[in-house]
Amino acid sequence: FQANAVNADGTLFAIGDGGADGGRIMVFDAQTAEQVFKIDTAAPVTTLAFDDQAGELVTGLFTGELLTVDVAAGEVVSNVAISTTSTIAAIGLRPDGLVVVYSGDVAELVDRRTGPTGASITMRNAAAADIQPDGTITTVSTAQEFVLYEFDE
């Protein structure tokens, strides 16, 4: 597994990877390529997203855990499990700070400090999903159709 992300102003980039023995998150200075920090994880990293307003890096793991890292400190500040036991395939950060997590055929809203909010959407036959900055989920079905999903709150 390998995932990557770049922060909004392009000064940092993150790489996550892993295998049978766990994973790691590495953040680098984009100008110098110097490693800023490295964090070992218990499971492979599957997806990453910077939240520049909060100064955090949100990371999805193969085991269905969502890690949040304080970028300035280089330390994990929260670790919450999602509702399903599936691998986290994609995450997106909404303007309200909630994380949209896509895992299997389910998308759910997760508070990165306290866990799932209880809001979820079942997406049948989704082959792939992309989460937009407003939290809208675009999927491609196994029949090659595009479908949009939004959380009703």
Side-chain angles (χ1 to χ4, degrees):
F1 289 97
Q2 186 166 4
N4 58 64
V6 178
N7 70 341
D9 67 6
T11 58
L12 297 173
F13 68 94
I15 298 173
D17 64 10
D21 294 336
R24 62 188 172 169
I25 302 163
M26 297 168 290
V27 173
F28 297 89
D29 180 298
Q31 297 297 317
T32 65
E34 285 186 41
Q35 184 172 298
V36 178
F37 64 83
K38 175 185 163 194
I39 296 172
D40 292 322
T41 60
V45 175
T46 57
T47 185
L48 302 159
F50 278 100
D51 182 343
D52 291 310
Q53 286 187 327
E56 295 178 339
L57 177 65
V58 182
T59 306
L61 299 183
F62 183 80
T63 52
E65 295 171 87
L66 195 67
L67 295 181
T68 301
V69 176
D70 179 308
V71 174
E75 296 178 356
V76 174
V77 293
S78 69
N79 179 359
V80 298
I82 61 171
S83 296
T84 68
T85 57
S86 299
T87 298
I88 296 177
I91 57 175
L93 305 174
R94 295 189 348 168
D96 63 5
L98 293 175
V99 182
V100 179
V101 176
Y102 170 68
S103 176
D105 285 341
V106 176
E108 65 180 299
L109 286 179
V110 178
D111 181 301
R112 64 186 91 172
R113 296 293 193 269
T114 61
T117 66
S120 66
I121 299 172
T122 300
M123 300 177 288
R124 300 285 180 219
N125 302 318
D130 186 44
I131 303 165
Q132 306 304 312
D134 66 355
T136 302
I137 306 158
T138 308
T139 66
V140 177
S141 73
T142 53
Q144 299 300 306
E145 299 172 330
F146 289 98
V147 181
L148 295 176
Y149 294 93
E150 293 181 289
F151 283 95
D152 294 326
E153 297 170 82

